[in-house]
mmCIF file of all heavy atoms in Angstrom:
data_model
loop_
_atom_site.group_PDB
_atom_site.id
_atom_site.type_symbol
_atom_site.label_atom_id
_atom_site.label_comp_id
_atom_site.label_asym_id
_atom_site.label_seq_id
_atom_site.Cartn_x
_atom_site.Cartn_y
_atom_site.Cartn_z
ATOM 1 N N SER A 214 -27.616 39.695 -40.007
ATOM 2 C CA SER A 214 -27.931 39.878 -41.429
ATOM 3 C C SER A 214 -26.796 40.548 -42.205
ATOM 4 O O SER A 214 -26.754 40.461 -43.440
ATOM 5 C CB SER A 214 -29.208 40.707 -41.600
ATOM 6 O OG SER A 214 -28.982 42.042 -41.188
ATOM 7 N N ARG A 215 -25.907 41.214 -41.530
ATOM 8 C CA ARG A 215 -24.846 41.936 -42.226
ATOM 9 C C ARG A 215 -23.606 41.986 -41.334
ATOM 10 O O ARG A 215 -23.716 42.147 -40.118
ATOM 11 C CB ARG A 215 -25.310 43.347 -42.530
ATOM 12 C CG ARG A 215 -24.333 44.117 -43.356
ATOM 13 C CD ARG A 215 -24.960 45.293 -43.997
ATOM 14 N NE ARG A 215 -23.913 46.028 -44.679
ATOM 15 C CZ ARG A 215 -24.015 47.234 -45.073
ATOM 16 N NH1 ARG A 215 -25.151 47.886 -44.910
ATOM 17 N NH2 ARG A 215 -23.016 47.841 -45.654
ATOM 18 N N PHE A 216 -22.440 41.876 -41.949
ATOM 19 C CA PHE A 216 -21.198 41.901 -41.209
ATOM 20 C C PHE A 216 -20.688 43.313 -41.036
ATOM 21 O O PHE A 216 -20.471 44.022 -42.022
ATOM 22 C CB PHE A 216 -20.142 41.058 -41.951
ATOM 23 C CG PHE A 216 -18.786 41.123 -41.285
ATOM 24 C CD1 PHE A 216 -18.497 40.351 -40.178
ATOM 25 C CD2 PHE A 216 -17.801 41.965 -41.758
ATOM 26 C CE1 PHE A 216 -17.283 40.379 -39.573
ATOM 27 C CE2 PHE A 216 -16.567 42.016 -41.160
ATOM 28 C CZ PHE A 216 -16.295 41.234 -40.062
ATOM 29 N N LEU A 217 -20.519 43.720 -39.804
ATOM 30 C CA LEU A 217 -19.872 44.990 -39.462
ATOM 31 C C LEU A 217 -19.069 44.761 -38.194
ATOM 32 O O LEU A 217 -19.636 44.696 -37.098
ATOM 33 C CB LEU A 217 -20.887 46.103 -39.232
ATOM 34 C CG LEU A 217 -21.692 46.591 -40.432
ATOM 35 C CD1 LEU A 217 -22.827 47.498 -39.991
ATOM 36 C CD2 LEU A 217 -20.792 47.310 -41.429
ATOM 37 N N TYR A 218 -17.765 44.561 -38.328
ATOM 38 C CA TYR A 218 -16.943 44.347 -37.133
ATOM 39 C C TYR A 218 -16.893 45.597 -36.325
ATOM 40 O O TYR A 218 -16.751 46.712 -36.836
ATOM 41 C CB TYR A 218 -15.526 43.905 -37.511
ATOM 42 C CG TYR A 218 -14.668 43.681 -36.280
ATOM 43 C CD1 TYR A 218 -14.713 42.464 -35.631
ATOM 44 C CD2 TYR A 218 -13.883 44.680 -35.767
ATOM 45 C CE1 TYR A 218 -13.973 42.227 -34.487
ATOM 46 C CE2 TYR A 218 -13.128 44.485 -34.620
ATOM 47 C CZ TYR A 218 -13.184 43.269 -33.986
ATOM 48 O OH TYR A 218 -12.464 43.065 -32.846
ATOM 49 N N ASN A 219 -16.980 45.450 -34.992
ATOM 50 C CA ASN A 219 -16.971 46.598 -34.110
ATOM 51 C C ASN A 219 -16.319 46.181 -32.807
ATOM 52 O O ASN A 219 -16.811 45.287 -32.114
ATOM 53 C CB ASN A 219 -18.428 47.058 -33.876
ATOM 54 C CG ASN A 219 -18.512 48.280 -33.017
ATOM 55 O OD1 ASN A 219 -17.834 48.415 -32.007
ATOM 56 N ND2 ASN A 219 -19.395 49.187 -33.440
ATOM 57 N N ASN A 220 -15.221 46.827 -32.423
ATOM 58 C CA ASN A 220 -14.534 46.509 -31.164
ATOM 59 C C ASN A 220 -15.419 46.684 -29.942
ATOM 60 O O ASN A 220 -15.277 45.934 -28.968
ATOM 61 C CB ASN A 220 -13.283 47.382 -30.995
ATOM 62 C CG ASN A 220 -12.120 46.895 -31.797
ATOM 63 O OD1 ASN A 220 -12.137 45.811 -32.379
ATOM 64 N ND2 ASN A 220 -11.079 47.704 -31.873
ATOM 65 N N HIS A 221 -16.332 47.614 -29.974
ATOM 66 C CA HIS A 221 -17.210 47.822 -28.815
ATOM 67 C C HIS A 221 -18.070 46.581 -28.545
ATOM 68 O O HIS A 221 -18.295 46.212 -27.400
ATOM 69 C CB HIS A 221 -18.106 49.052 -29.046
ATOM 70 C CG HIS A 221 -17.356 50.299 -29.189
ATOM 71 N ND1 HIS A 221 -16.655 50.897 -28.156
ATOM 72 C CD2 HIS A 221 -17.191 51.120 -30.253
ATOM 73 C CE1 HIS A 221 -16.082 51.996 -28.575
ATOM 74 N NE2 HIS A 221 -16.386 52.168 -29.854
ATOM 75 N N ASP A 222 -18.515 45.942 -29.612
ATOM 76 C CA ASP A 222 -19.309 44.727 -29.426
ATOM 77 C C ASP A 222 -18.457 43.592 -28.822
ATOM 78 O O ASP A 222 -18.933 42.831 -28.015
ATOM 79 C CB ASP A 222 -19.899 44.250 -30.774
ATOM 80 C CG ASP A 222 -20.897 45.258 -31.337
ATOM 81 O OD1 ASP A 222 -21.426 46.103 -30.570
ATOM 82 O OD2 ASP A 222 -21.158 45.209 -32.545
ATOM 83 N N VAL A 223 -17.204 43.530 -29.227
ATOM 84 C CA VAL A 223 -16.293 42.503 -28.679
ATOM 85 C C VAL A 223 -16.075 42.771 -27.182
ATOM 86 O O VAL A 223 -15.992 41.822 -26.404
ATOM 87 C CB VAL A 223 -14.979 42.499 -29.460
ATOM 88 C CG1 VAL A 223 -13.987 41.509 -28.854
ATOM 89 C CG2 VAL A 223 -15.228 42.129 -30.919
ATOM 90 N N GLU A 224 -16.030 44.029 -26.803
ATOM 91 C CA GLU A 224 -15.878 44.323 -25.378
ATOM 92 C C GLU A 224 -17.037 43.784 -24.550
ATOM 93 O O GLU A 224 -16.866 43.370 -23.392
ATOM 94 C CB GLU A 224 -15.720 45.837 -25.156
ATOM 95 C CG GLU A 224 -14.416 46.401 -25.626
ATOM 96 C CD GLU A 224 -13.197 45.723 -25.018
ATOM 97 O OE1 GLU A 224 -13.236 45.298 -23.854
ATOM 98 O OE2 GLU A 224 -12.215 45.581 -25.758
ATOM 99 N N LEU A 225 -18.232 43.781 -25.131
ATOM 100 C CA LEU A 225 -19.368 43.195 -24.428
ATOM 101 C C LEU A 225 -19.141 41.718 -24.105
ATOM 102 O O LEU A 225 -19.561 41.234 -23.049
ATOM 103 C CB LEU A 225 -20.644 43.320 -25.270
ATOM 104 C CG LEU A 225 -21.237 44.711 -25.400
ATOM 105 C CD1 LEU A 225 -22.403 44.701 -26.394
ATOM 106 C CD2 LEU A 225 -21.655 45.251 -24.058
ATOM 107 N N LEU A 226 -18.434 41.016 -24.992
ATOM 108 C CA LEU A 226 -18.154 39.604 -24.717
ATOM 109 C C LEU A 226 -17.345 39.420 -23.451
ATOM 110 O O LEU A 226 -17.567 38.478 -22.705
ATOM 111 C CB LEU A 226 -17.379 38.995 -25.900
ATOM 112 C CG LEU A 226 -18.125 38.905 -27.213
ATOM 113 C CD1 LEU A 226 -17.205 38.371 -28.303
ATOM 114 C CD2 LEU A 226 -19.356 38.019 -27.086
ATOM 115 N N GLY A 227 -16.400 40.333 -23.200
ATOM 116 C CA GLY A 227 -15.625 40.254 -21.973
ATOM 117 C C GLY A 227 -16.525 40.393 -20.746
ATOM 118 O O GLY A 227 -16.360 39.679 -19.735
ATOM 119 N N GLY A 228 -17.507 41.288 -20.826
ATOM 120 C CA GLY A 228 -18.464 41.446 -19.716
ATOM 121 C C GLY A 228 -19.354 40.240 -19.545
ATOM 122 O O GLY A 228 -19.622 39.797 -18.430
ATOM 123 N N PHE A 229 -19.816 39.675 -20.655
ATOM 124 C CA PHE A 229 -20.667 38.480 -20.599
ATOM 125 C C PHE A 229 -19.877 37.302 -19.996
ATOM 126 O O PHE A 229 -20.402 36.556 -19.178
ATOM 127 C CB PHE A 229 -21.168 38.080 -21.979
ATOM 128 C CG PHE A 229 -22.111 39.081 -22.607
ATOM 129 C CD1 PHE A 229 -22.092 39.257 -23.990
ATOM 130 C CD2 PHE A 229 -22.975 39.857 -21.860
ATOM 131 C CE1 PHE A 229 -22.943 40.154 -24.591
ATOM 132 C CE2 PHE A 229 -23.825 40.774 -22.451
ATOM 133 C CZ PHE A 229 -23.809 40.932 -23.812
ATOM 134 N N LEU A 230 -18.622 37.181 -20.417
ATOM 135 C CA LEU A 230 -17.775 36.128 -19.899
ATOM 136 C C LEU A 230 -17.576 36.266 -18.392
ATOM 137 O O LEU A 230 -17.718 35.290 -17.639
ATOM 138 C CB LEU A 230 -16.421 36.151 -20.628
ATOM 139 C CG LEU A 230 -15.433 35.067 -20.260
ATOM 140 C CD1 LEU A 230 -15.942 33.697 -20.668
ATOM 141 C CD2 LEU A 230 -14.107 35.343 -20.942
ATOM 142 N N ARG A 231 -17.280 37.457 -17.955
ATOM 143 C CA ARG A 231 -17.085 37.707 -16.524
ATOM 144 C C ARG A 231 -18.361 37.430 -15.757
ATOM 145 O O ARG A 231 -18.336 36.811 -14.677
ATOM 146 C CB ARG A 231 -16.636 39.161 -16.309
ATOM 147 C CG ARG A 231 -16.310 39.459 -14.853
ATOM 148 C CD ARG A 231 -15.749 40.847 -14.684
ATOM 149 N NE ARG A 231 -16.794 41.821 -14.930
ATOM 150 C CZ ARG A 231 -16.596 43.005 -15.535
ATOM 151 N NH1 ARG A 231 -15.428 43.358 -15.932
ATOM 152 N NH2 ARG A 231 -17.592 43.814 -15.705
ATOM 153 N N HIS A 232 -19.499 37.816 -16.308
ATOM 154 C CA HIS A 232 -20.770 37.587 -15.630
ATOM 155 C C HIS A 232 -21.078 36.085 -15.535
ATOM 156 O O HIS A 232 -21.536 35.595 -14.497
ATOM 157 C CB HIS A 232 -21.913 38.319 -16.357
ATOM 158 C CG HIS A 232 -23.236 38.109 -15.762
ATOM 159 N ND1 HIS A 232 -23.641 38.727 -14.598
ATOM 160 C CD2 HIS A 232 -24.288 37.336 -16.150
ATOM 161 C CE1 HIS A 232 -24.869 38.341 -14.294
ATOM 162 N NE2 HIS A 232 -25.283 37.503 -15.224
ATOM 163 N N ALA A 233 -20.819 35.354 -16.613
ATOM 164 C CA ALA A 233 -21.135 33.916 -16.679
ATOM 165 C C ALA A 233 -20.217 33.058 -15.820
ATOM 166 O O ALA A 233 -20.622 32.044 -15.277
ATOM 167 C CB ALA A 233 -21.121 33.438 -18.123
ATOM 168 N N THR A 234 -18.933 33.456 -15.735
ATOM 169 C CA THR A 234 -17.936 32.605 -15.068
ATOM 170 C C THR A 234 -17.450 33.161 -13.733
ATOM 171 O O THR A 234 -16.814 32.428 -12.971
ATOM 172 C CB THR A 234 -16.697 32.413 -15.964
ATOM 173 O OG1 THR A 234 -16.032 33.668 -16.094
ATOM 174 C CG2 THR A 234 -17.104 31.840 -17.318
ATOM 175 N N GLY A 235 -17.669 34.440 -13.497
ATOM 176 C CA GLY A 235 -17.140 35.078 -12.290
ATOM 177 C C GLY A 235 -15.669 35.427 -12.415
ATOM 178 O O GLY A 235 -15.068 35.850 -11.439
ATOM 179 N N MET A 236 -15.092 35.237 -13.617
ATOM 180 C CA MET A 236 -13.673 35.550 -13.841
ATOM 181 C C MET A 236 -13.532 36.516 -14.997
ATOM 182 O O MET A 236 -14.234 36.371 -15.992
ATOM 183 C CB MET A 236 -12.897 34.267 -14.187
ATOM 184 C CG MET A 236 -12.758 33.268 -13.083
ATOM 185 S SD MET A 236 -11.736 31.851 -13.630
ATOM 186 C CE MET A 236 -12.979 30.834 -14.395
ATOM 187 N N PRO A 237 -12.595 37.428 -14.909
ATOM 188 C CA PRO A 237 -12.287 38.246 -16.068
ATOM 189 C C PRO A 237 -11.590 37.384 -17.141
ATOM 190 O O PRO A 237 -11.070 36.318 -16.850
ATOM 191 C CB PRO A 237 -11.360 39.330 -15.527
ATOM 192 C CG PRO A 237 -10.784 38.792 -14.293
ATOM 193 C CD PRO A 237 -11.794 37.803 -13.734
ATOM 194 N N ALA A 238 -11.616 37.873 -18.357
ATOM 195 C CA ALA A 238 -11.085 37.112 -19.510
ATOM 196 C C ALA A 238 -9.635 36.677 -19.291
ATOM 197 O O ALA A 238 -9.272 35.537 -19.613
ATOM 198 C CB ALA A 238 -11.209 37.924 -20.774
ATOM 199 N N ASP A 239 -8.785 37.566 -18.735
ATOM 200 C CA ASP A 239 -7.382 37.205 -18.574
ATOM 201 C C ASP A 239 -7.193 36.081 -17.561
ATOM 202 O O ASP A 239 -6.404 35.171 -17.755
ATOM 203 C CB ASP A 239 -6.529 38.417 -18.228
ATOM 204 C CG ASP A 239 -6.964 39.170 -16.988
ATOM 205 O OD1 ASP A 239 -8.100 38.960 -16.486
ATOM 206 O OD2 ASP A 239 -6.167 40.003 -16.509
ATOM 207 N N GLU A 240 -7.967 36.112 -16.494
ATOM 208 C CA GLU A 240 -7.862 35.061 -15.464
ATOM 209 C C GLU A 240 -8.370 33.716 -16.022
ATOM 210 O O GLU A 240 -7.748 32.657 -15.815
ATOM 211 C CB GLU A 240 -8.685 35.459 -14.247
ATOM 212 C CG GLU A 240 -8.571 34.526 -13.074
ATOM 213 C CD GLU A 240 -9.385 35.023 -11.900
ATOM 214 O OE1 GLU A 240 -9.309 36.230 -11.566
ATOM 215 O OE2 GLU A 240 -10.112 34.193 -11.314
ATOM 216 N N MET A 241 -9.469 33.767 -16.768
ATOM 217 C CA MET A 241 -10.005 32.525 -17.323
ATOM 218 C C MET A 241 -9.053 31.952 -18.365
ATOM 219 O O MET A 241 -8.814 30.734 -18.388
ATOM 220 C CB MET A 241 -11.378 32.814 -17.956
ATOM 221 C CG MET A 241 -12.052 31.554 -18.410
ATOM 222 S SD MET A 241 -13.719 31.898 -18.933
ATOM 223 C CE MET A 241 -14.196 30.294 -19.491
ATOM 224 N N ALA A 242 -8.506 32.801 -19.245
ATOM 225 C CA ALA A 242 -7.564 32.334 -20.258
ATOM 226 C C ALA A 242 -6.308 31.746 -19.589
ATOM 227 O O ALA A 242 -5.818 30.716 -20.035
ATOM 228 C CB ALA A 242 -7.174 33.486 -21.183
ATOM 229 N N ALA A 243 -5.801 32.414 -18.547
ATOM 230 C CA ALA A 243 -4.608 31.893 -17.882
ATOM 231 C C ALA A 243 -4.840 30.503 -17.326
ATOM 232 O O ALA A 243 -3.997 29.616 -17.460
ATOM 233 C CB ALA A 243 -4.178 32.862 -16.759
ATOM 234 N N ARG A 244 -5.970 30.302 -16.743
ATOM 235 C CA ARG A 244 -6.283 29.029 -16.077
ATOM 236 C C ARG A 244 -6.632 27.900 -17.038
ATOM 237 O O ARG A 244 -6.147 26.789 -16.921
ATOM 238 C CB ARG A 244 -7.421 29.266 -15.101
ATOM 239 C CG ARG A 244 -7.786 28.059 -14.288
ATOM 240 C CD ARG A 244 -8.801 28.426 -13.229
ATOM 241 N NE ARG A 244 -9.272 27.254 -12.560
ATOM 242 C CZ ARG A 244 -10.287 27.259 -11.708
ATOM 243 N NH1 ARG A 244 -10.906 28.387 -11.444
ATOM 244 N NH2 ARG A 244 -10.655 26.148 -11.121
ATOM 245 N N PHE A 245 -7.520 28.208 -18.000
ATOM 246 C CA PHE A 245 -8.074 27.136 -18.818
ATOM 247 C C PHE A 245 -7.473 27.028 -20.214
ATOM 248 O O PHE A 245 -7.689 26.035 -20.900
ATOM 249 C CB PHE A 245 -9.589 27.318 -18.948
ATOM 250 C CG PHE A 245 -10.313 27.158 -17.626
ATOM 251 C CD1 PHE A 245 -10.862 28.269 -17.019
ATOM 252 C CD2 PHE A 245 -10.399 25.937 -17.028
ATOM 253 C CE1 PHE A 245 -11.536 28.152 -15.803
ATOM 254 C CE2 PHE A 245 -11.043 25.784 -15.799
ATOM 255 C CZ PHE A 245 -11.617 26.907 -15.183
ATOM 256 N N LEU A 246 -6.709 28.021 -20.649
ATOM 257 C CA LEU A 246 -6.125 27.950 -21.980
ATOM 258 C C LEU A 246 -4.593 28.039 -21.929
ATOM 259 O O LEU A 246 -3.891 27.154 -22.397
ATOM 260 C CB LEU A 246 -6.671 29.069 -22.876
ATOM 261 C CG LEU A 246 -6.186 29.083 -24.326
ATOM 262 C CD1 LEU A 246 -6.624 27.833 -25.060
ATOM 263 C CD2 LEU A 246 -6.724 30.343 -25.020
ATOM 264 N N PHE A 247 -4.077 29.119 -21.332
ATOM 265 C CA PHE A 247 -2.629 29.308 -21.330
ATOM 266 C C PHE A 247 -1.897 28.224 -20.554
ATOM 267 O O PHE A 247 -0.904 27.698 -21.040
ATOM 268 C CB PHE A 247 -2.264 30.688 -20.773
ATOM 269 C CG PHE A 247 -2.807 31.858 -21.575
ATOM 270 C CD1 PHE A 247 -2.883 33.094 -21.005
ATOM 271 C CD2 PHE A 247 -3.254 31.704 -22.882
ATOM 272 C CE1 PHE A 247 -3.372 34.192 -21.713
ATOM 273 C CE2 PHE A 247 -3.752 32.771 -23.589
ATOM 274 C CZ PHE A 247 -3.808 34.020 -23.010
ATOM 275 N N ALA A 248 -2.368 27.886 -19.364
ATOM 276 C CA ALA A 248 -1.661 26.874 -18.565
ATOM 277 C C ALA A 248 -1.590 25.519 -19.289
ATOM 278 O O ALA A 248 -0.508 24.948 -19.399
ATOM 279 C CB ALA A 248 -2.325 26.732 -17.202
ATOM 280 N N PRO A 249 -2.718 25.003 -19.829
ATOM 281 C CA PRO A 249 -2.600 23.724 -20.541
ATOM 282 C C PRO A 249 -1.697 23.770 -21.778
ATOM 283 O O PRO A 249 -1.087 22.758 -22.118
ATOM 284 C CB PRO A 249 -4.048 23.402 -20.959
ATOM 285 C CG PRO A 249 -4.900 24.183 -20.000
ATOM 286 C CD PRO A 249 -4.109 25.417 -19.681
ATOM 287 N N LEU A 250 -1.587 24.940 -22.418
ATOM 288 C CA LEU A 250 -0.758 25.066 -23.614
ATOM 289 C C LEU A 250 0.696 25.408 -23.265
ATOM 290 O O LEU A 250 1.535 25.494 -24.158
ATOM 291 C CB LEU A 250 -1.304 26.146 -24.551
ATOM 292 C CG LEU A 250 -2.680 25.886 -25.156
ATOM 293 C CD1 LEU A 250 -3.084 27.038 -26.063
ATOM 294 C CD2 LEU A 250 -2.694 24.586 -25.933
ATOM 295 N N GLY A 251 0.988 25.599 -21.986
ATOM 296 C CA GLY A 251 2.350 25.957 -21.594
ATOM 297 C C GLY A 251 2.706 27.401 -21.940
ATOM 298 O O GLY A 251 3.895 27.722 -22.083
ATOM 299 N N ILE A 252 1.717 28.258 -22.080
ATOM 300 C CA ILE A 252 1.957 29.677 -22.339
ATOM 301 C C ILE A 252 2.197 30.350 -21.009
ATOM 302 O O ILE A 252 1.315 30.385 -20.158
ATOM 303 C CB ILE A 252 0.771 30.306 -23.102
ATOM 304 C CG1 ILE A 252 0.593 29.627 -24.464
ATOM 305 C CG2 ILE A 252 0.955 31.807 -23.236
ATOM 306 C CD1 ILE A 252 -0.644 30.060 -25.236
ATOM 307 N N THR A 253 3.409 30.847 -20.826
ATOM 308 C CA THR A 253 3.784 31.407 -19.534
ATOM 309 C C THR A 253 4.021 32.924 -19.562
ATOM 310 O O THR A 253 4.131 33.543 -18.499
ATOM 311 C CB THR A 253 5.057 30.736 -19.008
ATOM 312 O OG1 THR A 253 6.097 30.920 -19.952
ATOM 313 C CG2 THR A 253 4.809 29.239 -18.773
ATOM 314 N N ALA A 254 4.118 33.510 -20.723
ATOM 315 C CA ALA A 254 4.381 34.952 -20.834
ATOM 316 C C ALA A 254 3.361 35.593 -21.758
ATOM 317 O O ALA A 254 3.206 35.158 -22.905
ATOM 318 C CB ALA A 254 5.800 35.188 -21.364
ATOM 319 N N TRP A 255 2.641 36.565 -21.262
ATOM 320 C CA TRP A 255 1.702 37.318 -22.075
ATOM 321 C C TRP A 255 1.490 38.660 -21.413
ATOM 322 O O TRP A 255 1.820 38.860 -20.232
ATOM 323 C CB TRP A 255 0.363 36.589 -22.264
ATOM 324 C CG TRP A 255 -0.419 36.452 -20.996
ATOM 325 C CD1 TRP A 255 -1.345 37.351 -20.493
ATOM 326 C CD2 TRP A 255 -0.375 35.371 -20.077
ATOM 327 N NE1 TRP A 255 -1.869 36.867 -19.312
ATOM 328 C CE2 TRP A 255 -1.279 35.674 -19.036
ATOM 329 C CE3 TRP A 255 0.348 34.189 -20.010
ATOM 330 C CZ2 TRP A 255 -1.466 34.821 -17.965
ATOM 331 C CZ3 TRP A 255 0.154 33.351 -18.944
ATOM 332 C CH2 TRP A 255 -0.748 33.673 -17.927
ATOM 333 N N ASP A 256 0.913 39.568 -22.128
ATOM 334 C CA ASP A 256 0.588 40.888 -21.586
ATOM 335 C C ASP A 256 -0.853 41.201 -21.982
ATOM 336 O O ASP A 256 -1.197 41.188 -23.152
ATOM 337 C CB ASP A 256 1.535 41.961 -22.158
ATOM 338 C CG ASP A 256 1.176 43.367 -21.704
ATOM 339 O OD1 ASP A 256 0.432 43.518 -20.695
ATOM 340 O OD2 ASP A 256 1.634 44.327 -22.343
ATOM 341 N N TRP A 257 -1.675 41.431 -20.991
ATOM 342 C CA TRP A 257 -3.051 41.776 -21.236
ATOM 343 C C TRP A 257 -3.401 42.996 -20.365
ATOM 344 O O TRP A 257 -4.483 43.119 -19.826
ATOM 345 C CB TRP A 257 -3.974 40.622 -20.908
ATOM 346 C CG TRP A 257 -5.211 40.577 -21.712
ATOM 347 C CD1 TRP A 257 -5.842 41.608 -22.363
ATOM 348 C CD2 TRP A 257 -6.014 39.424 -21.961
ATOM 349 N NE1 TRP A 257 -6.953 41.168 -23.002
ATOM 350 C CE2 TRP A 257 -7.087 39.823 -22.762
ATOM 351 C CE3 TRP A 257 -5.933 38.114 -21.583
ATOM 352 C CZ2 TRP A 257 -8.103 38.942 -23.192
ATOM 353 C CZ3 TRP A 257 -6.908 37.252 -22.003
ATOM 354 C CH2 TRP A 257 -7.984 37.645 -22.803
ATOM 355 N N GLY A 258 -2.429 43.903 -20.250
ATOM 356 C CA GLY A 258 -2.625 45.038 -19.359
ATOM 357 C C GLY A 258 -3.188 46.271 -20.003
ATOM 358 O O GLY A 258 -3.657 47.175 -19.320
ATOM 359 N N THR A 259 -3.184 46.339 -21.324
ATOM 360 C CA THR A 259 -3.668 47.527 -22.018
ATOM 361 C C THR A 259 -5.187 47.668 -21.881
ATOM 362 O O THR A 259 -5.907 46.694 -21.995
ATOM 363 C CB THR A 259 -3.314 47.449 -23.519
ATOM 364 O OG1 THR A 259 -1.913 47.268 -23.620
ATOM 365 C CG2 THR A 259 -3.728 48.699 -24.270
#
């Protein structure tokens, strides 16, 4: 009903993704997004 952006809520998405796929977001992105796009350098360590 109302827009309030919140980073904590976005973090929940990472957990839902891991639960649904068995992969953390960085592993899933590397395999299904970055590799097909030819993205070879990224940092997701923070």
Side-chain angles (χ1 to χ4, degrees):
S214 68
R215 186 162 175 197
F216 175 80
L217 292 169
Y218 180 84
N219 183 317
N220 281 350
H221 298 292
D222 295 341
V223 176
E224 289 305 325
L225 288 174
L226 294 176
F229 295 146
L230 182 65
R231 184 175 69 216
H232 179 75
T234 67
M236 292 183 274
D239 57 345
E240 186 178 313
M241 187 173 177
R244 183 173 174 189
F245 295 109
L246 183 63
F247 298 162
L250 296 180
I252 297 173
T253 59
W255 67 89
D256 177 18
W257 210 337
T259 305

